[in-house]
Amino acid sequence: MDELITQATSGDERRRGPAVAVLPIGSFEQHGDHLPLITDTVIACLIARRLADDHGLFLLPPITMACSHEHAPMAGTVSISAATLYAMVNDIWRSLEAAGHPGLIIVNGHGGNYVLSNVVQELNVTGPRVALFPISEDRARARADAELESSGAEDMHGGEFEVSLLLHGAPHLVREGIEGDDHSAPRRPQLLTVGMSGYTSNGIIGQPSLATAAKGKALLDSLSRSARDHLRAIAAR
């Protein structure tokens, strides 16, 4: 993770003077037997590092535990409350604003962090200053650009999208045997009620067997392009 977490000094950031910061938010939750508990955090960091490098942003360290309550019955999962995550993001942005970084793009690596939409809406009441990324349209565009074979509904957790990003940016984290973890559950109408264990016994919903490093690179390339519109919206405040 060393290459994904900022090692900048105060002097480095003073000389660069970026107006916009990027905050990766992941989770600490099960991703089956062949992916690490930090999968979502690593993915958020991969995207955040790419955005920081391409667009000159102030890279922040990740929030590594978030709202993974739907995974609670599965070994290794640890969550914080939605209220705690809300408070952390709110406090971080206010500290950034006071320090002269009025813009913030939040890179969310875990779909269960629903509260991030609320905090971003509230922080933007007096003008655009915070963006949540990637949104569904960004992910759909990235899937098309990378020519993923599975659909977004099929590829929900630990599948082609996530494993491709890891194979490109952190291949050492993908353990042997992942190609045998494919599991299909494209319809999940009671997910919030019964959790992940109601739809998967191995912790995966998707087809990791379809993942490649080349697809992961194409996903990152596309996401970096999509981020431009969000950054322009923040800069227009």
Side-chain angles (χ1 to χ4, degrees):
M1 287 288 288
D2 285 354
E3 70 278 8
L4 298 179
I5 298 176
T6 181
Q7 299 179 32
T9 68
S10 178
D12 293 335
E13 295 304 335
R14 183 175 63 252
R15 286 185 289 273
R16 291 195 321 115
V20 177
V22 55
L23 173 65
I25 301 179
S27 70
F28 193 76
E29 67 185 39
Q30 72 81 25
H31 275 74
D33 288 346
H34 299 101
L35 299 177
L37 298 166
I38 59 170
T39 290
D40 288 344
T41 297
V42 174
I43 288 171
C45 286
L46 284 169
I47 298 170
R49 166 66 76 178
R50 178 64 184 269
L51 299 191
D53 290 346
D54 287 358
H55 304 290
L57 310 181
F58 176 23
L59 179 62
L60 302 176
I63 295 177
T64 60
M65 293 185 185
C67 304
S68 301
H69 304 90
E70 71 274 29
H71 298 270
M74 298 182 175
T77 300
V78 180
S79 291
I80 59 177
S81 71
T84 297
L85 183 57
Y86 175 101
M88 290 176 69
V89 174
N90 190 68
D91 286 353
I92 288 167
W93 180 78
R94 298 200 182 280
S95 179
L96 287 167
E97 184 185 42
H101 308 284
L104 174 64
I105 184 165
I106 297 168
V107 175
N108 180 30
H110 171 52
N113 293 334
Y114 307 113
V115 70
L116 294 177
S117 296
N118 297 113
V119 69
V120 168
Q121 285 176 321
E122 292 180 20
L123 290 175
N124 288 326
V125 165
T126 58
R129 56 189 70 189
V130 181
L132 183 59
F133 183 82
I135 59 173
S136 58
E137 289 85 353
D138 303 319
R139 292 177 67 92
R141 185 178 302 115
R143 298 183 68 87
D145 289 345
E147 299 182 350
L148 298 196
E149 299 171 60
S150 58
S151 70
E154 295 168 328
D155 190 27
M156 183 257 191
H157 187 72
E160 184 180 14
F161 188 101
E162 292 188 329
V163 176
S164 291
L165 285 169
L166 290 180
L167 288 174
H168 169 64
H172 60 287
L173 296 179
V174 181
R175 298 189 183 184
E176 292 184 8
I178 188 66
E179 64 280 352
D181 285 348
D182 290 7
H183 176 75
S184 179
R187 294 189 66 256
R188 303 173 292 274
Q190 281 82 48
L191 180 64
L192 295 180
T193 302
V194 302
M196 285 288 289
S197 59
Y199 295 98
T200 174
S201 58
N202 71 351
I204 302 296
I205 296 178
Q207 294 176 273
S209 65
L210 299 176
T212 69
K215 290 176 182 177
K217 181 183 183 302
L219 287 169
L220 274 183
D221 291 344
S222 178
L223 290 169
S224 181
R225 291 191 296 269
S226 292
R228 293 172 186 156
D229 288 339
H230 299 274
L231 291 168
R232 277 195 288 266
I234 295 172
R237 63 186 296 269

